[in-house]
Amino acid sequence: MQAKPKLRIGYGVDVHQLAEGYPLWIGGIQLPSPLGAVGHSDADVLIHAICDALLGALALRDIGFHFSDTDPKYKGIDSKILLKEVFRLVSEKGYGIVNIDATVILETPKVNPHIEQMQVVLAGILNLATDEISIKATTHEKVDSFGEKRAIKAYASALLYEL
Ligand code: MG
């Protein structure tokens, strides 16, 4: 019998409410917006989805398991710190990242003009080339909570290889 290829796939999804008076962090950068994401941390929905994709690929549970949303230690924390810790767990398990593909669902503001900057920030943390981390953006066509600007959502997939 042939040995299995040493590849692992994972996916993650995250949602945060939007409200006035909160900053809007997506992919490690702050976007100018009257509405921001509500959460215990900085509520960076894209980074949270990527964290869950990376953890999921190695059956390492989920972001809430590692960083409790009731722990005061994580109140307002920069999600880039959480992503660094998740990457450390992945490396510790003996895996590297092949690539990541993600989608952000947000009605407004436009995410597209900021994607290149997000790629640079996230690639730096995860030791990837910018073309190994794909970020896509779409609106929700004005329908449901996302289309009504009441929430933001992100999906991410990650492929890992054994080092
Ligand atoms: Mg979250």
Side-chain angles (χ1 to χ4, degrees), residues 14-16 41 43-45 48:
D14 193 38
V15 172
H16 282 268
S41 66
D44 190 321
V45 75
H48 294 180

Side-chain angles (χ1 to χ4, degrees), residues 36-89:
V38 182
H40 183 69
S41 66
D42 67 4
D44 190 321
V45 75
L46 176 57
I47 289 188
H48 294 180
I50 291 172
C51 284
D52 265 5
L54 295 171
L55 292 169
L58 296 174
L60 289 172
R61 305 289 299 264
D62 55 48
I63 190 170
F65 177 83
H66 293 277
F67 315 108
S68 166
D69 66 2
T70 54
D71 189 335
K73 191 165 70 175
Y74 301 120
K75 179 93 186 104
I77 196 169
D78 180 344
S79 292
K80 292 189 282 296
I81 294 168
L82 307 182
L83 185 61
K84 273 181 202 154
E85 175 59 15
V86 166
F87 184 54
R88 193 189 64 74
L89 291 169

